Amino acid sequence: MGIQERKEREKEDMRRLILEAARKLFLEQGYEKTSIRNIADAIEYSPGTIYLYYKDKNELLFALHEEAFLKMMQQLITVTHISDPFERLIEMGHQYIKYAIENPELYDLMFIMQAPMETLACRDEIWEDGLKSFGLLKLVIEDCVKAGYFKETNIEIMAMTIWAYMHGLVTIYLKNRMSMFKDDQQLERIQESFQLFIKMIKTSL
Amino acid sequence: MGIQERKEREKEDMRRLILEAARKLFLEQGYEKTSIRNIADAIEYSPGTIYLYYKDKNELLFALHEEAFLKMMQQLITVTHISDPFERLIEMGHQYIKYAIENPELYDLMFIMQAPMETLACRDEIWEDGLKSFGLLKLVIEDCVKAGYFKETNIEIMAMTIWAYMHGLVTIYLKNRMSMFKDDQQLERIQESFQLFIKMIKTSL
DNA sequence: CTTGCACACTGAACAGTGTTCATTATATTT
DNA sequence: AAATATAATGAACACTGTTCAGTGTGCAAG
């Protein structure tokens, strides 16, 4: 019975086809401005077909949610070759900023949008993604503690504090709330602030 | 000609009537889920009427944007009686967190939503509100520098860094991204992180 | 006191949205 | 070849923000 297997393969193909079109449109013109009909047009199927493969628009969002975390993890993991844990932490920060700025729509989806949280609050997988990347941060911080960089011991709260700062920094920029600085100076200010923050955690954590 | 004056008064009354209904609904059920027809129903007018007083839905948002900043400023300003500048800075932080948590929809409007930024990017008034509150933070920091609390001199970057942290902290909470902590522990963790951050700026700014 | 005008208001209409479902077309099984 | 199971359709539903020709009322001038 190779037919069933082929059918399942076709079903998977279709899911991918839809998701790829959705991703393309979401990232190009934003989530809100992309309609199911837009996606259907892109893949030359009728709107109703999409609902045979995804429960609703939020489920499409959720599929990208996973992808987005995977992509960020892959980028953050590139720092593992740096032996000094504090240097590694700094570079992780740089990569975090880079990821956020280069993937504003994905970042929004991961950390700001309500939609994937509401509908999928029941499913544990959502938290899993977030927890894994938070765990990555905690690991590096733990290494810093072990190497004697930090005197502080509450790793959970240290991670929370560092993440809060990083998240605030990029969010202010992404959501266009840095108007107190000229457009061409904004990225510079982000780097200056980040340098100051590094100094802060170096001398007082 | 008292008639013209009366008519203008009536026009103002109508604008207020609409805005108050809009605010009520926006804060109750969120901006996205409130339709013009909902607002029209609430004040017992037809949908078209609203457009005689406000250009579009975003203009309603903008009117609340101003209100929201005013409200926050009033709350932040209550700390001026504290003579010690560092204590004042800490209390300002507490008030900032309090405001964000107690007015999540307004906070969203002020610092996260794109809508009021896009349509009103031309108008200088938007920045004005934000700049004024950012100025308030800078003033307190300046006082801290003068009082010898901080060795750092770049007030702009210090303010940016502190705000980024505060904003990140409350945003993570408001947007339900603190699932690594149990629901009833989240506010506690916020306070713990804030205490750590205070320690950080005290010993290293 | 009547006529004419200005203006507030209406609500149907337009183009769009997410989603559902009876119907149709296709492919598989009997 | 007939019966059945599955996939795809697209019209329909209940919404959305926004516009605009038409209506009715209150004011001003004749």
Side-chain angles (χ1 to χ4, degrees):
Chain A
M1 282 289 162
I3 287 172
Q4 274 227 332
E5 287 160 27
R6 193 210 61 197
K7 284 216 170 176
E8 260 182 50
R9 224 171 35 239
E10 280 176 355
K11 203 153 190 162
E12 254 326 297
D13 285 352
M14 193 64 176
R15 278 181 70 90
R16 243 203 309 282
L17 181 69
I18 293 169
L19 190 63
E20 262 159 47
R23 182 181 43 229
K24 188 167 176 292
L25 290 171
F26 284 167
L27 300 189
E28 264 174 26
Q29 37 180 292
Y31 171 72
E32 302 278 354
K33 284 174 186 168
T34 302
S35 71
I36 296 288
R37 282 172 185 81
N38 292 156
I39 299 168
D41 283 354
I43 58 172
E44 294 180 297
Y45 277 85
S46 90
T49 304
I50 290 171
Y51 288 87
L52 299 175
Y53 296 90
Y54 291 93
K55 201 183 116 281
D56 54 24
K57 204 181 170 186
N58 277 339
E59 200 161 298
L60 281 169
L61 219 52
F62 174 65
L64 289 177
H65 185 273
E66 276 182 304
E67 271 194 27
F69 268 98
L70 198 73
K71 193 175 175 184
M72 187 181 78
M73 291 288 277
Q74 284 172 344
Q75 193 164 325
L76 291 185
I77 257 172
T78 60
V79 305
T80 40
H81 73 275
I82 301 171
S83 55
D84 182 69
F86 192 72
E87 291 285 328
R88 208 187 312 146
L89 182 63
I90 293 171
E91 185 55 25
M92 235 177 102
H94 276 126
Q95 291 300 323
Y96 189 88
I97 294 171
K98 188 161 175 275
Y99 176 83
I101 291 174
E102 285 175 0
N103 309 279
E105 287 288 337
L106 289 183
Y107 191 87
D108 199 335
L109 182 61
M110 292 162 75
F111 299 121
I112 301 171
M113 285 188 61
Q114 298 282 18
M117 296 291 113
E118 286 168 2
T119 316
L120 310 161
C122 39
R123 302 168 74 162
D124 294 341
E125 302 133 270
I126 326 170
W127 310 136
E128 235 172 76
D129 296 327
L131 275 177
K132 224 181 275 177
S133 46
F134 192 67
L136 204 66
L137 174 59
K138 283 201 288 186
L139 269 177
V140 182
I141 292 173
E142 211 174 335
D143 285 352
C144 285
V145 173
K146 281 178 188 159
Y149 277 105
F150 302 152
K151 289 135 272 169
E152 207 67 43
T153 53
N154 192 333
I155 288 164
E156 201 90 13
I157 295 298
M158 283 161 85
M160 181 71 209
T161 305
I162 292 174
W163 178 38
Y165 166 75
M166 295 303 300
H167 174 63
L169 189 68
V170 300
T171 305
I172 287 169
Y173 173 75
L174 291 179
K175 296 296 179 182
N176 282 103
R177 260 61 173 199
M178 270 185 76
S179 52
M180 59 281 215
F181 304 121
K182 288 195 204 90
D183 284 22
D184 55 337
Q185 287 188 343
Q186 296 187 357
L187 287 176
E188 224 175 297
R189 301 294 163 197
I190 286 181
Q191 289 305 324
E192 284 177 40
S193 171
F194 184 54
Q195 291 306 321
L196 178 60
F197 189 72
I198 291 169
K199 213 196 284 182
M200 284 170 69
I201 59 176
K202 192 168 196 171
T203 62
S204 68
L205 268 188
Chain B
M1 280 291 161
I3 288 170
Q4 275 228 330
E5 287 161 25
R6 194 209 61 197
K7 286 215 170 175
E8 260 182 49
R9 223 171 40 238
E10 281 176 356
K11 203 153 191 162
E12 254 327 297
D13 286 352
M14 192 66 175
R15 279 181 68 91
R16 244 203 309 280
L17 182 69
I18 293 169
L19 191 63
E20 262 160 46
R23 181 181 45 230
K24 188 166 177 295
L25 291 171
F26 285 166
L27 300 189
E28 264 175 27
Q29 38 180 291
Y31 172 71
E32 303 278 355
K33 283 174 186 168
T34 303
S35 71
I36 295 289
R37 281 174 185 80
N38 291 157
I39 299 168
D41 282 354
I43 58 171
E44 295 179 297
Y45 277 85
S46 93
T49 305
I50 288 171
Y51 289 87
L52 298 175
Y53 296 91
Y54 291 93
K55 201 182 117 281
D56 54 24
K57 206 181 170 185
N58 277 337
E59 199 162 299
L60 281 168
L61 218 52
F62 175 66
L64 288 178
H65 186 273
E66 277 182 303
E67 272 193 27
F69 269 98
L70 198 73
K71 193 174 176 184
M72 186 181 78
M73 291 288 279
Q74 283 172 346
Q75 192 162 326
L76 292 185
I77 257 172
T78 60
V79 306
T80 42
H81 73 275
I82 301 171
S83 53
D84 182 69
F86 192 72
E87 293 284 329
R88 207 186 313 146
L89 182 63
I90 293 170
E91 185 55 25
M92 236 177 100
H94 276 125
Q95 290 301 322
Y96 189 89
I97 293 171
K98 188 161 176 275
Y99 177 83
I101 290 175
E102 285 175 0
N103 308 278
E105 287 288 338
L106 290 183
Y107 191 87
D108 199 335
L109 184 59
M110 291 163 75
F111 299 121
I112 300 170
M113 285 187 61
Q114 297 284 16
M117 296 291 113
E118 284 168 3
T119 317
L120 311 162
C122 40
R123 301 169 74 164
D124 295 342
E125 302 134 270
I126 325 169
W127 310 136
E128 236 171 75
D129 296 327
L131 276 176
K132 226 182 274 178
S133 46
F134 192 68
L136 204 66
L137 175 58
K138 284 200 290 185
L139 270 177
V140 182
I141 292 174
E142 213 175 336
D143 286 351
C144 286
V145 173
K146 281 179 189 159
Y149 278 105
F150 301 153
K151 290 136 270 169
E152 207 67 43
T153 52
N154 194 333
I155 289 164
E156 201 89 13
I157 295 298
M158 285 161 84
M160 181 72 209
T161 305
I162 292 174
W163 179 38
Y165 166 74
M166 297 301 302
H167 174 64
L169 188 68
V170 299
T171 306
I172 287 169
Y173 174 74
L174 292 179
K175 295 296 178 182
N176 281 101
R177 259 63 171 198
M178 267 184 78
S179 51
M180 60 280 216
F181 303 120
K182 289 194 204 91
D183 283 23
D184 56 336
Q185 287 188 343
Q186 296 187 355
L187 287 176
E188 223 175 297
R189 301 293 165 199
I190 287 180
Q191 290 303 326
E192 284 177 40
S193 171
F194 184 54
Q195 292 305 323
L196 178 59
F197 189 71
I198 291 169
K199 212 196 285 183
M200 284 171 68
I201 59 177
K202 191 168 197 171
T203 60
S204 68
L205 268 189

